[in-house]
Amino acid sequence: MRFANLIWENEPIASGELAKLCEKELNWKKSTTYTILHRVCDRELFQNERGMVTSLVSREEFHAMQSKQFVEDSFGGSLPKFLAAFRKSDSCRRLLTGIRKDRQGRKS
């Protein structure tokens, strides 16, 4: 994810510059950067055209794809099952408590 963020934050970026940035930020060798770049391009998340790297999928689209895949893998694609499980979680309780407090504060 940090690699993808580097691209999103710096695109368009020359692949050589990306390799230097990855060396500095991720402590990667040039070969590692190009291997991972090739993989994310194969997944059609990014493209490397004539040495210039750009995104094919926005950060928001990527997060939506990950969320959809999580629901698919964990709950058989059933959003109601996901929501039922989330509703029982402590995270949901804290979120709902915060929303209720916010609403009460607005009424005052």
Side-chain angles (χ1 to χ4, degrees):
M1 188 67 192
R2 293 187 313 160
F3 178 70
N5 283 330
L6 286 176
I7 297 173
W8 283 316
E9 291 166 4
N10 294 282
E11 69 175 315
I13 184 169
S15 58
E17 288 301 312
L18 180 60
K20 290 176 186 174
L21 187 60
C22 288
E23 180 180 10
K24 177 184 172 195
E25 298 292 326
L26 305 174
N27 200 29
W28 286 4
K29 294 182 180 181
K30 185 177 180 178
S31 59
T32 303
T33 298
Y34 283 104
T35 298
I36 301 301
L37 179 58
H38 183 74
R39 289 181 187 169
V40 296
C41 288
D42 284 348
R43 291 182 59 200
E44 298 182 350
L45 299 172
F46 300 96
Q47 66 181 358
N48 184 6
E49 293 290 326
R50 293 182 223 123
M52 191 59 62
V53 180
T54 56
S55 63
L56 295 173
V57 175
S58 71
R59 190 185 321 236
E60 293 76 18
E61 291 168 324
F62 178 75
H63 288 301
M65 289 169 26
Q66 281 189 314
S67 298
K68 184 177 179 181
Q69 191 62 49
F70 173 77
V71 172
E72 184 64 40
D73 293 345
S74 302
F75 301 96
S78 172
L79 190 56
K81 287 181 183 178
F82 166 76
L83 292 173
F86 181 70
R87 189 168 172 234
K88 294 175 185 176
S89 72
D90 288 336
S91 298
C92 182
R93 287 187 187 99
R94 286 191 300 270
L95 178 65
L96 291 174
T97 299
I99 291 170
R100 287 184 190 116
K101 286 180 181 178
D102 186 50
R103 284 184 180 167
Q104 290 173 350
R106 289 182 186 174
K107 289 179 183 178
S108 301

